[in-house]
Amino acid sequence: MATVRCTTAQAIVRYLSNQFTEVDGKRVALFPGVYGIFGHGNVTCLGEALEAAQDTLPTWRGQNEQSMGFAAVGFAKAMVRRQIMVVTASIGPGTTNLLTAAGVAHTSRLPMLMICGDSFARRHPDPVMQQVEHFNDPTQTVNDAFKAVTRYWDRITYPEQILSSLPQAVATMLDPGDCGPAFIGVCQDAQEMAWDYPETFFAPRLHTMPRPRPDRLSLVRAAQCLMRAKRPLIIAGGGVRYSQAEAELAAFATSHGIPVVETIAGKGTFTHHHPVHIGPIGILGATSANELAASADVVVAIGTRLMDFVTGSWTVFDRAAQFISLNAARFDAHKHLAIPLVCDAREGITELNAALGDWRADPAWLEKGQAAFAGWNSLLAKIQARTATDGDPTYAQVVGVVNALAAPDDYIISAAGGLPGELVKGWQVKEPGTFDCEFGFSCMGYELSAGWGAAMTGQPRDVFVMIGDGTYMMMNSDIYSSVLSGHKFILLVCDNGGYAVINRLQNAKGGASFNNLLKDCRVQEPFHVDFVANAASMGALARKVSSLEELEAAIKWAKGNDRTTVIAIATHAYSWTPGDAWWDVGVPEVSPRESVNQARLEHVAGRKNQRIGI
């Protein structure tokens, strides 16, 4: 058997460089690049191997390991899980900085490969700098923390272990049901060891995405249940997009006359004005979608994990509603006593469509949804109109201006604060697959770095990122990364003086404004950061605007620029697009504040509407 003698680190890089997949009929690298910050745990061995392979596996240096992880997740989402970025960090704090990004990828079922340094397998120099020590378990390092936020985890102590570990990591990240981040810690002395690897291990491999089909008996049960429905409803989740099943779902819903609502991750499955689209559902949803959900008797949940913001903490649906859950993940398919169809979304939709034959729902049901959605669109038009406001422009108005000027294929990103609600409710998608609201983990700081990652896909479109001032202060260094690497995005910073949406929740549950808006924090006096000067210092083009007309002109300017551009605008801290779904959060059982006690009574009453144990 022919062999190749190389170090473990060199073998890892060589293996990754020879994995391929297909995107739009073209053979491309499965791992198109690496985000890396080097330290003593990865620079001398893994860094040496990456330097030699930089023409086939380019390495991009970020400014923070966490933000590099966010960029990798944003890239994977923009590529609908068809390509995977690698992230490498040293040991200790460099590696633990990746934990939050791993949480994002794990929660949102997105692939990212982390290859990080670890302590010495031989333990000769232990303890080394940045190594935590557990007195009762010398095998435990900070890398063990990733077991809670990864789908695949391994520690390499011998060179030959990668022969099984790397293929298993790849298989996990490409599996539609198990998809998520993979973590491989490589002990520092294991990285340097040379071994005679089988030459076949490095042979080029073309990977395809598996598309499991539904169980036949379960399919019959689901079809029979759906054909008995008087008021069926489809929920389109992120799994529809990752399966690239948008066209199949549109044909299915249209032919059977079933209204479709979207989850946060599923928004962008349909164009806004598609005839069967009734809007987003749940706490960040449209009144039209929630109205239909309350009356639906059979709910077909496709590619969604049914988190609380979709279900209104399980108060949005009638208690008697029967769920059919079509999901690649068995765990998700079996929630709430649903009829489970464990399968790929596209395959499942296709086969369920055939099983239904020419059955159609009562046309009056879809018409009811369309009328409700027309009312919702009238409300959006009213609140986004450029009428005089009490003070600064509202989020809704800013979203309306950006939406109007965005090209159909432009990409919009948000994740935390007040903007997810405003964008999920108010952004009118012009082309499927152009909306990314990372709300599974709702991670502040994701947005800007994900913009860098999404820009790296190389698609000829503008990437818009919308954040608040609080998020900007938490994670802004990848403005610099994007300028250095030449990957442009357009950043809208809506400055409302702090964490305004959490102040809203605080007040809604009877609490006093405290530690959220800057004026309510322990500060000498509120001070607003000069975001334009800050962004310009990192090489971006930047402009501050004070009106919707100036915002419009700035967006047109930004679209014509050749580098990352930042636009800052002061926005209203108390004006929000209405939404009517209930949310279960802890409210104090007793309090010296009467407003909290009243909120507690209202909250207890709300809990009586939850579907529990169903």
Side-chain angles (χ1 to χ4, degrees):
M1 178 178 65
T3 60
V4 176
R5 187 166 183 80
C6 57
T7 69
T8 306
Q10 292 161 357
I12 290 172
V13 170
R14 186 166 182 171
Y15 175 85
L16 297 178
S17 299
N18 280 289
Q19 309 308 303
F20 299 91
T21 187
E22 286 189 356
V23 174
D24 300 329
K26 296 181 180 179
R27 180 185 173 103
V28 297
L30 179 62
F31 300 101
V34 179
Y35 296 109
I37 293 178
F38 293 134
H40 65 274
N42 65 346
V43 66
T44 55
C45 294
L46 190 60
E48 184 264 352
L50 287 169
E51 188 276 334
Q54 58 184 303
D55 290 338
T56 55
L57 186 62
T59 299
W60 304 95
R61 207 208 76 177
Q63 315 310 313
N64 181 289
E65 291 86 357
Q66 182 181 118
S67 70
M68 292 191 310
F70 291 155
V73 176
F75 177 91
K77 184 175 281 191
M79 291 303 300
V80 286
R81 306 199 301 200
R82 294 174 295 174
Q83 286 182 290
I84 304 166
M85 291 296 278
V86 183
V87 184
T88 181
S90 183
I91 70 168
T95 291
T96 55
N97 280 346
L98 278 171
L99 276 166
T100 301
V104 173
H106 187 274
T107 303
S108 297
R109 321 289 170 85
L110 290 162
M112 169 177 63
L113 177 59
M114 294 167 282
I115 300 179
C116 299
D118 208 320
S119 58
F120 283 75
R122 294 189 179 104
R123 303 185 194 168
H124 291 174
D126 287 6
V128 299
M129 181 179 64
Q130 298 181 338
Q131 177 182 343
V132 300
E133 293 181 275
H134 292 265
F135 305 151
N136 66 328
D137 185 357
T139 69
Q140 193 170 20
T141 74
V142 297
N143 289 356
D144 290 86
F146 285 85
K147 292 177 180 178
V149 286
T150 51
R151 296 290 179 187
Y152 183 86
W153 185 97
D154 197 5
R155 172 178 286 123
I156 303 301
T157 57
Y158 288 95
E160 58 266 41
Q161 289 172 339
I162 67 169
L163 294 175
S164 60
S165 186
L166 287 176
Q168 289 292 351
V170 171
T172 299
M173 291 185 289
L174 294 180
D175 187 278
D178 288 344
C179 183
F183 180 92
I184 298 178
V186 190
C187 291
Q188 292 177 67
D189 46 353
Q191 288 185 42
E192 71 186 45
M193 295 177 188
W195 199 71
D196 296 319
Y197 288 93
E199 199 171 63
T200 54
F201 182 64
F202 304 116
R205 285 175 173 79
L206 181 67
H207 298 269
T208 57
M209 312 302 171
R211 292 186 176 273
R213 297 169 61 182
D215 171 71
R216 289 190 178 90
L217 292 179
S218 297
L219 187 68
V220 170
R221 285 183 60 207
Q224 290 174 343
C225 176
L226 193 50
M227 286 190 285
R228 291 193 298 267
K230 304 297 182 185
R231 299 174 302 280
L233 182 69
I234 295 172
I235 302 176
V240 177
R241 295 179 58 191
Y242 298 138
S243 176
Q244 296 183 280
E246 293 94 339
E248 286 76 11
L249 180 56
F252 175 86
T254 301
S255 63
H256 299 295
I258 307 175
V260 180
V261 298
E262 294 175 320
T263 70
I264 300 165
K267 184 175 173 73
T269 299
F270 287 95
T271 57
H272 185 78
H273 294 293
H274 192 284
V276 298
H277 179 230
I278 311 301
I281 187 174
I283 295 166
L284 302 187
T287 54
S288 52
N290 290 334
E291 179 184 329
L292 254 64
S295 301
D297 57 354
V298 175
V299 179
V300 185
I302 306 178
T304 171
R305 62 194 186 101
L306 294 171
M307 77 156 180
D308 63 344
F309 261 69
V310 171
T311 67
S313 298
W314 287 104
T315 62
V316 165
F317 307 102
D318 187 282
R319 292 191 184 201
Q322 172 65 57
F323 275 74
I324 299 169
S325 189
L326 194 162
N327 205 294
R330 175 198 56 78
F331 186 87
D332 293 320
H334 283 266
K335 290 175 179 174
H336 275 252
L337 301 182
I339 296 173
L341 294 177
V342 183
C343 59
D344 169 72
R346 192 179 74 183
E347 297 302 309
I349 291 167
T350 300
E351 297 201 13
L352 184 58
N353 183 50
L356 291 175
D358 59 1
W359 172 83
R360 283 184 61 86
D362 183 350
W365 172 241
L366 178 57
E367 291 167 4
K368 177 181 179 180
Q370 291 169 333
F373 193 45
W376 172 254
N377 285 323
S378 295
L379 174 63
L380 285 181
K382 182 178 179 180
I383 64 176
Q384 291 183 353
R386 298 189 192 187
T387 55
T389 57
D390 180 17
D392 296 320
T394 66
Y395 267 168
Q397 291 173 320
V398 172
V399 167
V401 170
V402 179
N403 198 177
L405 293 174
D409 59 349
D410 284 349
Y411 196 71
I412 181 73
I413 298 174
S414 69
L419 278 163
E422 298 300 309
L423 285 163
V424 171
K425 293 175 184 179
W427 187 271
Q428 300 188 19
V429 172
K430 302 172 186 177
E431 185 172 301
T434 56
F435 190 91
D436 172 9
C437 179
E438 193 296 294
F439 216 69
F441 219 49
S442 185
C443 188
M444 288 181 70
Y446 164 84
E447 305 95 324
L448 196 151
S449 301
W452 182 36
M456 279 192 167
T457 63
Q459 299 178 52
R461 62 186 182 187
D462 280 312
V463 175
F464 284 94
V465 177
M466 294 189 71
I467 62 174
D469 52 300
T471 296
Y472 184 97
M473 294 303 297
M474 185 172 287
M475 186 76 67
N476 58 56
S477 60
D478 279 336
I479 291 174
Y480 182 52
S481 302
S482 71
V483 171
L484 287 177
S485 66
H487 297 100
K488 172 198 170 184
F489 59 88
I490 300 172
L491 176 66
L492 279 296
V493 183
C494 297
D495 183 359
N496 56 18
Y499 303 149
V501 78
I502 293 301
N503 178 73
R504 177 195 184 195
L505 176 63
Q506 193 172 48
N507 294 163
K509 297 306 177 182
S513 292
F514 171 64
N515 201 49
N516 287 313
L517 294 178
L518 291 174
K519 67 182 182 64
D520 301 318
C521 298
R522 295 179 70 88
V523 296
Q524 293 183 7
E525 61 178 283
F527 176 80
H528 288 263
V529 173
D530 188 338
F531 299 110
V532 169
N534 181 263
S537 74
M538 290 186 277
L541 299 174
R543 181 183 292 183
K544 184 176 181 179
V545 300
S546 58
S547 69
L548 297 175
E549 289 71 26
E550 289 181 4
L551 174 63
E552 184 177 61
I555 292 171
K556 293 176 181 178
W557 165 71
K559 287 181 72 67
N561 290 338
D562 63 353
R563 73 185 75 172
T564 291
T565 302
V566 178
I567 303 169
I569 182 169
T571 49
H572 204 289
Y574 301 99
S575 179
W576 309 96
T577 300
D580 57 357
W582 183 81
W583 187 25
D584 198 350
V585 293
V587 179
E589 197 165 349
V590 295
S591 172
R593 295 182 64 88
E594 183 53 37
S595 56
V596 173
N597 293 326
Q598 181 60 39
R600 171 70 184 185
L601 291 174
E602 295 171 358
H603 205 76
V604 170
R607 281 178 173 164
K608 294 179 180 179
N609 298 319
Q610 289 178 293
R611 288 168 54 106
I612 299 176
I614 296 175

